[in-house]
Each structure stands twice: as structure tokens, then as C-alpha cells.
Amino acid sequence: MSLIVMKFGGTSVGNPERVRQAAQIVADASREHRVVVVVSAFSGVTDAIIETVNVALSGKAPDAQLQKLEQRHHGAIAELFPPPKRAVVENEVDDVLRRFREFCSALTLLRSATPQVMDVALALGEKMSSRILAAYLHEFGVNGEYVDAARVVITDDKFGNASPEMDATRQQSQQVLLPMLEHGRVPVVTGYAGVTANGRPTTLGRGGSDFSATILGAAIGADEIWIWTDVDGVLNADPRVCPRASTLPEITYAEAIELSYYGAKVIHPKAIRPAMDLGIPVWIKNSFQPHVPGTKIVTSVQPTHSPVKAVSVVTKASLVTLSTRQNLDSAEIFGRLFLRLGHEHVDVLFSTQSSSENALGLVLRQENTDHVVQ
């Protein structure tokens, strides 16, 4: 049987109906494949966690925010499970919420939180959604088993935007996940998170749950990775701008990275790399319409009649122009500028240099403009 890693985004597990659909997709796939599942937090929950933390940092008790999180997850559990099982799952979720409540109580006294401290809280939404989906798979006759990413994803210590230590992750993932698969179980892993080699919690930054899926796919030698989202695949334009936009059946890894970098919501560029390094196909699929084939991302595709695959747009960008006097060495100044931009981890979408060579134009993401000018 082939081995599939499938990831469900926040909208794909955003309410009880979506959880049922996700469980149905996993159950159908598990009849033909060995399956590892990676789960995001319910849609909006990570933002709610950040809001709760910010209230705590202001010195106030975030009781209302914590209550909303509890009601959101308890409401889903009540709709999904019969009473005996309901209490078991509620206890598991309440344990996560209790730890978050204690975390917030400490923050109200400390009034500050480093990225390392924030990483303790940011992935708690995934810990709850993964427990709920793992338990609900049993309602479909699938032996789902919750797996905390701390057991399988080992990262560096760049808190808030960590990168995997692939050798350690490969060893851990194979030790933990492969025996489960051999015994007919379906591991359900928390997305977005990992730990350092000495056990400190980390998060993987933007696109973190997609990244979790490709990291684990590469670590355990998956045959394919399926990213379940709320669109039919990769479109050749933004449908909000171009109503006649259509789904691309296949694109290359390089094209996916290029489209994502320039604004298309495909898959985060860093998330594609573990699969690209090993040539593992990545599918972008719609959990709302699982019968739609989706888009396959692979190493190479057959050439088409048009060299243009798709058009993307960056809506919040700015142009910063740096000019030098004629008697200065512009190459040295521009070189120093790009070196500093690299140290500051600033994305330059593209740059242009005037024919007179003493003016440089930088197109930047809008949120970076003031920092770069400074």
C-alpha cells in the first residue's frame, strides 16, 4: 500500500460538519493507502489565541477570550460525539485549555513574552483540533491516534519561525509513526509545531501546517502529500479579480514557489522544499469538493502551447528608490544595502537599476517599507 501524508487546513476542520467531511476523506483513503494526517487549528483559533495572549500581556485576565475558546471546542465535541465518548474528548481538550489558562495567568504578571515563550501557546489550537479529529475517526471505524508533533518534528531554535533538523526528525518520525502504520493505526499529528533537540516548543511560522506535512512526508518516505484546503487547486489567476480563472492540473515545484512568493495562495515556498528535494508529488485538493482532482505539483510537466501558466498579484507593495551621487561607487553602496537586507530577513520582491547605474528601485512588501527606509 502506498503511503500518503494528508494535511487539513483550518477551514477544512473549521466546524463539526467540516470535521465529519475530513474524517470521511481519511476513512476513504485509508482503505487503499497507509495514511498519516496533519491537522491545523480550527479556523480563527490561532488568531483567538494571540488575542487572548495580548489581553493577558496588558495585565487583564482574559476570561472572556478563554471562555470563547472553550465554547468553540466544547460545541464541536457536543455535535460530534455521543455522551460517553464526549466526556473523554472534553477532558483531553480541557487539559490543553487548563495549561493555556495557567500560561495566561503567568503573562498577566510578567507583562512580556519572547518568541520562545509565545511558541508555548501558539500551537495549542492544533493540539485541540488533532485530538478531536483523532477521536472522531473511530466513529468511521478508523483507528486514529493523536500524536503531538513534539514526538516527531525536531527543529532549530529560531522560535516563531523554526526550521526542521531533518536527520533527527527522520529518526523520530520513523520510530514513532511507522510502527503505528504497521499496526493499522492512523497517526493524527499536530501541525505547525515542533521542539528543539532539548525539548523546547517551537512553531514553524507562516505556512507552518503545510510545512509540517512536507517535513513528515520527506521524513517517512511518503509516496504523495495531499494538502486539503478550501479551493479546487492552484488557479491560473485570482478568481476575485478574474471570474473565469480555472484550475491548473499540474505545475512544477519551481512554479508553485514562484506563484506563492508573488501572492498566490498555493503553498508556502518553504513548505514545498522538503517534498521537492525528494521529488514527492504534492496535491492541492478541496476538502469541500473531494471529488475534484485538484492540482499536482511535481518536478516537471509536459510543455503547453503557452509559456504563461498563471498570473499572480501582490496587492500591498511599495517602491523605494535609492539614488547616489555620480562621484560615489554605487555598486559598493547597493552591495552594502542588499547585505543589510539579508541580515534583516527582508524580502525584496524585485529590483531595478537605472541605465546611469546610480539609482536602484526596490519593490518591497508594504509592511517592510518603513523599516527599510529607516
Side-chain angles (χ1 to χ4, degrees), residues 229 231 233-235 240 259-260 262-268 284 312:
T229 180
V231 294
V234 179
L235 301 177
R240 294 168 298 182
L259 282 168
S260 296
Y262 288 110
K265 293 182 178 179
V266 181
I267 181 173
H268 196 277
I284 309 297
S312 65

Side-chain angles (χ1 to χ4, degrees), residues 72-92:
R72 173 85 182 271
H73 292 86
H74 278 204
I77 292 167
E79 283 196 45
L80 292 169
F81 297 98
K85 185 68 173 287
R86 185 183 306 163
V88 174
V89 182
E90 276 186 357
N91 286 337
E92 293 179 0

Side-chain angles (χ1 to χ4, degrees), residues 206 210 231 233-240 248 251 255-269 284 309-315 349 365:
R206 288 175 59 200
D210 289 349
V231 294
V234 179
L235 301 177
N236 59 8
D238 185 338
R240 294 168 298 182
L248 297 165
I251 59 173
E255 289 166 342
I257 290 171
E258 193 83 353
L259 282 168
S260 296
Y261 187 76
Y262 288 110
K265 293 182 178 179
V266 181
I267 181 173
H268 196 277
I284 309 297
K309 285 285 184 70
V311 177
S312 65
V313 59
V314 180
T315 55
L349 296 174
R365 300 189 190 280

Side-chain angles (χ1 to χ4, degrees), residues 265-282:
K265 293 182 178 179
V266 181
I267 181 173
H268 196 277
K270 70 179 181 183
I272 204 71
R273 295 194 182 277
M276 182 171 68
D277 290 343
L278 297 179
I280 302 171
V282 178

